Amino acid sequence: MNALPASAVVPARPGPGPGVRRRYLLCPPEHFAVEYAINPWMDPDRPVDRAVALRQWRALASVLRSLGHRVDLLAPEPGLPDMVFTANGATVVAGRVLVARFRHPQRAGESAAHRRWFEAARFPRVRTATEVNEGEGDLLVAGPRILAASGFRTTTAAHREAQRVLGLPVVSLQLTDPRYYHLDTALAVLDDTRVMYYPDAFAPPARRLLRRLYPDAILARAPDAAAFGLNAISDGRHVVLPAAARGLAEQLRAAGFVPVPVSLPELLKAGGGPKCCVLEVRSARGPCPGAEPGLRDRRPGPGDEERGAR
C-alpha cells in the first residue's frame, strides 16, 4: 500500500485555500470519567471533574458552530466514559461508513452506538469493521488518500480493509511513541495537500514517506506535540487546536492558516483533545450537504442547528 508513484507526491504550494463548511458528530461527556488506563495519559487515581469537562466540551462545540459548521450529536450512554471521543468510532468517506472495532474491551460498546446513529441518519452503506481499527483516531482522510497508523491500536490488516470498504488508497504509517497512540495525536490534516506532524512519533520509514508525500508539512516541536497540539480540526483555513500549543499556532499563522485556540485540559486527562471529540461526517455530496467554499467566520443559520441538543 505504500508503493506510491512519484506523481503521488504533493507539490509545495504557497498557502491554504478557503475553508469549507463541514458536518461533525460530537457526543457530550455526560458520563466522562477515567476509570481505567489504556494509554499513558490516563490515571484512574487522578480526579476528574465531569462538570468542567462538559463546560470545556460545550465551548468546543460552540467554536465549531461559530465557524459555520454543522454539529450533530451522538447520545451518550452510561458505562461508556470515553464516548466523548467520537473520532474513534468510525471513518466516513463519500457516504460510506466503516464503524470502528476497538482494541480494548472497555470501549467496545461504542461501536454499536455509532452504527445505530449512522443507520438512523439513513446512511446507505454502513459496515462494522472485522479488523481492529479505531476510526479517525488512526484513519485520517487526506484528500486523495487515507493516512493510516499502526503500532498501538489499529492493525495493518485494518488498513487493507479500509482501502476496500472506503475506496481510497491507504498509506500505512507506524507509530512508535506510546504517548502518541493514535495518528490524530501525532498528525493533523490541514487540507487536501498539507499536513502537520511530529516526526519523533513515527518509525523512520514512516518519516521518510511523510517527507516525500508532504515536503512542505509543518513540523511540530516536542512541547507543542506534548500539549496535544496536533490533535486539531481543520476546515482548510481555520485550525482548531489546544491553546497550550502556542508555537504550533504561530507556525500555522505563518503558513497562512487561522489558528483557533480552545482549552480542554479535563479531557486531556483521558488522552483526548479537540480532534478526538470530533468525527467528520462526509456525505456522498461532499464535506456537508450544501458545502460552501469560501467559508468565513459566522454564526450558523437555521439549517445548521444540531439535532438532539441538550
Side-chain angles (χ1 to χ4, degrees):
M1 287 183 288
N2 290 343
L4 299 177
S7 60
V9 178
V10 176
R13 64 185 188 86
V20 175
R21 180 177 171 224
R22 311 291 175 117
R23 180 181 181 184
Y24 295 129
L25 180 64
L26 283 72
C27 179
E30 292 182 5
H31 306 293
F32 176 66
V34 178
E35 299 173 347
Y36 43 78
I38 58 174
N39 67 56
W41 304 86
M42 303 179 84
D43 180 359
D45 294 328
R46 187 180 181 190
V48 170
D49 191 323
R50 189 174 298 157
V52 172
L54 187 57
R55 186 161 61 246
Q56 293 170 358
W57 175 90
R58 285 174 175 156
L60 171 64
S62 178
V63 164
L64 296 174
R65 291 193 301 272
S66 76
L67 294 175
H69 304 304
R70 172 173 169 174
V71 173
D72 289 337
L73 295 184
L74 175 66
E77 298 185 10
L80 296 173
D82 281 337
M83 269 191 76
V84 61
F85 303 128
T86 54
N88 305 152
T91 309
V92 188
V93 176
R96 302 177 182 181
V97 182
L98 181 60
V99 177
R101 182 173 296 276
F102 288 88
R103 175 171 295 278
H104 296 286
Q106 294 94 331
R107 299 197 66 183
E110 297 176 41
S111 293
H114 277 81
R115 178 159 191 148
R116 286 192 296 271
W117 188 90
F118 281 102
E119 289 176 341
R122 300 184 183 279
F123 277 73
R125 305 178 69 175
V126 182
R127 173 174 172 175
T128 299
T130 59
E131 304 292 342
V132 173
N133 92 64
E134 299 207 348
E136 281 194 331
D138 277 331
L139 302 173
L140 294 179
V141 178
R145 63 177 68 95
I146 295 174
L147 302 178
S150 64
F152 297 104
R153 300 291 183 86
T154 298
T155 66
T156 53
H159 298 178
R160 295 188 289 271
E161 181 180 27
Q163 184 165 283
R164 291 193 306 271
V165 174
L166 298 175
L168 288 179
V170 169
V171 176
S172 295
L173 304 167
Q174 184 182 4
L175 296 170
T176 56
D177 187 329
R179 294 175 300 168
Y180 307 105
Y181 58 93
H182 275 153
L183 183 60
D184 71 357
T185 68
L187 181 148
V189 175
L190 298 174
D191 58 25
D192 286 352
T193 63
R194 285 195 82 176
V195 303
M196 58 181 183
Y197 66 97
Y198 178 50
D200 288 355
F202 295 90
R207 293 183 211 172
R208 290 193 292 270
L209 186 54
L210 286 169
R211 283 197 299 269
R212 180 185 164 213
L213 290 174
Y214 302 103
D216 61 342
I218 294 174
L219 303 183
R221 301 177 182 91
D224 289 325
F228 254 45
L230 293 160
N231 197 247
I233 307 154
S234 176
D235 64 17
R237 179 168 180 77
H238 310 96
V239 182
V240 180
L241 77 167
R246 296 182 183 86
L248 194 54
E250 288 304 315
Q251 289 175 269
L252 285 163
R253 191 173 287 107
F257 293 93
V258 179
V260 181
V262 295
S263 183
L264 301 172
E266 207 64 21
L267 295 176
L268 183 57
K269 294 176 181 178
K275 175 63 187 120
C276 291
C277 296
V278 175
L279 171 62
E280 184 165 349
V281 180
R282 301 174 183 86
S283 79
R285 290 175 287 174
C288 178
E292 300 172 1
L295 182 70
R296 294 293 181 265
D297 289 8
R298 63 175 178 80
R299 290 290 173 183
D304 301 323
E305 293 302 321
E306 68 274 24
R307 292 198 297 265
R310 286 171 170 78

